[in-house]
């Protein structure tokens, strides 16, 4: 009897030891990945929810979503990449500019599916015509453009400019609303060279010479908008809080000014739709008008954010598995619908999305208008968006046009500094 007890105890002990060894083995095989994510609204939260499903289907892969502010992505991520502190994946907007750090997913994925459905945006992450790599997918396809407080126009009794109206028409109309309604500012543009570029291209800015180099960025079209920016601030149409209110190339968003009713028009883009829907509510009626025009075009700037993979990862196959899951049609459809995005996936764009009953008529109309505007974007804007050093152009624009606005530099001095900084960036 005693020997039987010992034998039973021995079997139990062996079983427990085997289970512990098995548990340790499974734990050792678990791959932990990190996704550095910024959000304009709920993009990171939706990603987390979808990745929970991925983890259930793939229990040996865990993905941590590190949610950070956009400034971390814009100002700190490349330093982390240079210092060997890269996450496995990140949500970025400097798509071609970080190309040297990307993992080419092509060996691990169904490349034909990616090429068929992301053909128009995959080049935004590449450098040069010989680059055929697949580095990530667009979590967000964006179009720049203005938002207008329609309620202010109605209360002021001012007629809103219609399709084909110029930026000068809108400046005149918003100034009238500003004056009659005693509004803090008539127009405000995010402190961003990217926002500036769409208006500049509409005024004829070419940004590139015949060889495709940004050798003469400061042309007549660029100068026309720079002059307007200086004058609009001088007149009080634009506020001192944004472009003059920061140093260097620091990015600033003016969304809160629009939400709080401090400005008639906010020049931003489609990424603000969801935030405006949730934060404005029924405070006032807002719309996205047709893209204003210049003498050369009525062009927005395309853009977006991409979920990209980094070649420093120790687990490329697992990273690719996460990416394949996220771009699978049912998952991607849900992601775009829940985050209220314009789809960057050809198949989903053709089939259409159902944004749900929580998406109000203002949001539906805004999405429709931005989608229409995307089809009218100038080839120059597409070229600029895919240029690997476009951030240098955008940063130089903000830095020195802002100094011309404050009077620190004259416009001719600002122009010289802008081209000098761009030329130096190209040489590097």
């Amino acid at each position: 009897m005693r020997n039987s007890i010992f034998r039973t105890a021995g079997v139990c002990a062996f079983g427990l030891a085997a289970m512990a060894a098995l548990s340790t083995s499974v734990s050792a095989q678990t791959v932990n990945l990190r996704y550095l994510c910024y959000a304009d609204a709920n993009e990171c939260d939706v990603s987390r929810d979808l990745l929970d499903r991925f983890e259930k289907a793939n229990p040996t892969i865990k993905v941590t979503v590190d949610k950070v502010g956009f400034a971390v992505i814009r100002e700190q991520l490349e330093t982390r990449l240079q210092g060997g502190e890269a996450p496995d994946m990140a949500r970025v907007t400097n798509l071609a500019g970080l190309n040297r750090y990307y993992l080419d997913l092509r060996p691990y994925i169904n490349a034909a599916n990616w090429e068929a459905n992301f053909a128009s945006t995959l080049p935004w992450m590449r450098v040069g015509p010989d680059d055929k790599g697949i580095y990530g997918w667009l979590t967000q396809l964006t179009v720049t453009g203005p938002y207008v407080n329609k309620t202010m126009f109605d209360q002021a009794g001012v007629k809103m400019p219609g399709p084909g109206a110029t930026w000068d028409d809108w400046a005149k109309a918003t100034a009238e609303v500003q004056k009659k309604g005693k509004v803090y500012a008539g127009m405000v543009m995010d402190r961003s060279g990217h926002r500036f570029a769409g208006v500049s291209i509409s005024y004829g800015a070419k940004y590139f010479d015949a060889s495709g180099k940004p050798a003469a960025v400061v042309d007549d079209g660029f100068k026309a908008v720079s002059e307007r920016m200086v004058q609009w601030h001088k007149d009080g149409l634009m506020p001192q809080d944004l472009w003059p209110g920061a140093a260097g190339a620091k990015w600033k968003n003016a969304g809160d000014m629009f939400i709080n009713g401090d400005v008639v028009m906010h020049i931003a883009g489609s990424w603000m739709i969801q935030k405006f829907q949730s934060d404005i509510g029924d405070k006032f009626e807002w719309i996205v008008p047709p893209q204003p025009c210049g003498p050369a075009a009525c062009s927005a700037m395309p853009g977006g954010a991409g979920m990209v993979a980094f070649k420093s990862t120790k687990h490329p196959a697992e990273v690719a598995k996460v990416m394949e899951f996220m771009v699978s049609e049912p998952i991607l459809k849900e992601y775009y619908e829940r985050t209220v995005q314009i789809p960057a996936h050809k198949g989903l764009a053709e089939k259409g999305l159902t944004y749900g009953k929580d998406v109000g008529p203002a949001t539906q109309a805004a999405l429709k208008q931005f989608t229409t505007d995307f089809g009218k974007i100038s080839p120059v804007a597409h070229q600029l968006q895919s240029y690997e050093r476009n951030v240098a152009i955008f940063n130089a624009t903000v830095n020195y046009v802002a100094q011309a606005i404050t009077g620190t530099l004259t416009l001719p001095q600002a122009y010289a500094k802008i081209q000098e900084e761009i030329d130096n960036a190209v040489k590097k």
Side-chain angles (χ1 to χ4, degrees), residues 176-425:
E176 189 176 354
V177 174
Q178 178 188 8
K179 182 178 179 180
K180 288 186 175 180
K182 295 182 173 56
V183 185
Y184 179 62
M187 295 167 58
V188 64
M189 178 189 288
D190 289 344
R191 197 175 194 273
S192 161
H194 183 263
R195 314 297 180 269
F196 179 99
V199 183
S200 185
I201 289 167
S202 295
Y203 276 82
K206 300 298 184 187
Y207 280 92
F208 301 97
D209 61 20
S211 67
K213 302 292 185 182
V217 169
V218 183
D219 57 14
D220 289 344
F222 188 98
K223 290 178 181 178
V225 179
S226 299
E227 290 164 4
R228 281 166 171 77
M229 289 290 287
V230 171
Q231 191 63 47
W232 287 339
H233 282 85
K234 184 178 179 180
D235 294 343
L237 178 67
M238 284 189 161
Q240 298 297 314
D241 309 54
L242 267 289
W243 280 63
K250 184 176 178 59
W251 169 84
K252 291 186 76 173
N253 179 285
D256 287 343
M257 291 185 69
F258 189 71
I259 291 167
N260 295 332
D262 293 327
V263 64
V264 184
M265 172 188 279
H266 174 205
I267 304 164
S270 56
W271 58 90
M272 295 299 295
I273 290 176
Q274 192 178 4
K275 182 173 179 61
F276 286 164
Q277 176 183 267
S278 62
D279 291 6
I280 293 173
D282 59 1
K283 292 179 186 176
F284 57 84
E285 184 180 356
W286 58 272
I287 66 164
V288 173
Q291 193 72 215
C293 304
C298 308
S299 184
M301 269 296 291
M307 184 180 186
V308 299
F310 296 114
K311 60 186 176 185
S312 56
T313 181
K314 297 178 181 178
H315 309 287
E318 288 80 3
V319 166
K321 197 166 188 177
V322 171
M323 293 289 197
E324 283 277 57
F325 172 82
M326 292 298 288
V327 303
S328 60
E329 226 172 89
I331 295 298
L332 190 56
K333 181 176 187 291
E334 183 177 344
Y335 174 87
Y336 283 144
E337 288 175 346
R338 289 175 62 185
T339 57
V340 194
Q341 305 291 353
I342 301 168
H345 182 280
K346 183 174 182 285
L348 291 176
E350 290 174 349
K351 293 174 185 176
L353 300 180
T354 304
Y355 290 105
K357 61 184 180 181
D358 293 335
V359 177
T363 297
Q364 296 279 5
L367 287 163
K368 183 178 180 180
Q369 184 60 59
F370 278 124
T371 302
T372 299
D373 290 341
F374 183 78
K376 299 178 180 179
I377 290 174
S378 164
V380 176
H382 283 288
Q383 183 183 11
L384 180 56
Q385 177 59 25
S386 62
Y387 180 57
E388 66 267 26
R389 296 182 182 89
N390 61 18
V391 170
I393 297 174
F394 299 149
N395 286 352
T397 300
V398 168
N399 186 6
Y400 297 111
V401 172
Q403 290 187 52
I405 291 169
T406 61
T408 306
L409 297 173
T410 65
L411 274 172
Q413 289 171 335
Y415 297 151
K417 290 283 189 181
I418 289 168
Q419 193 62 58
E420 180 184 359
E421 188 166 306
I422 293 168
D423 290 344
N424 288 336

Side-chain angles (χ1 to χ4, degrees), residues 17-82:
M19 289 174 65
L22 180 62
S23 175
T24 301
S25 174
V26 170
S27 176
Q29 293 174 6
T30 299
V31 170
N32 295 294
L33 305 176
R34 304 196 78 86
Y35 173 38
L36 194 68
C37 181
Y38 86 92
D40 292 305
N42 64 343
E43 294 90 347
C44 299
D45 295 334
V46 172
S47 295
R48 176 67 273 168
D49 183 48
L50 297 174
L51 288 169
D52 285 344
R53 296 181 214 171
F54 172 83
E55 291 179 348
K56 287 180 181 179
N58 301 273
T60 60
I61 304 175
K62 302 297 179 187
V63 184
T64 298
V65 177
D66 294 318
K67 188 174 178 180
V68 297
F70 178 60
V72 172
I73 299 293
R74 188 177 187 275
E75 300 167 12
Q76 299 178 24
L77 176 58
E78 186 163 13
T79 301
R80 293 189 189 184
L81 293 168
Q82 292 170 344

Side-chain angles (χ1 to χ4, degrees), residues 77-122:
L77 176 58
E78 186 163 13
T79 301
R80 293 189 189 184
L81 293 168
Q82 292 170 344
E85 300 176 359
D88 299 278
M89 300 162 286
R91 185 169 186 254
V92 304
T93 56
N94 184 11
L95 297 170
L98 297 174
N99 174 276
R100 75 188 73 172
Y101 305 104
Y102 292 161
L103 169 70
D104 187 358
L105 299 165
R106 190 178 286 275
Y108 310 98
I109 60 173
N110 180 355
N113 177 57
W114 286 65
E115 291 281 10
N117 287 296
F118 296 107
S120 64
T121 55
L122 288 177

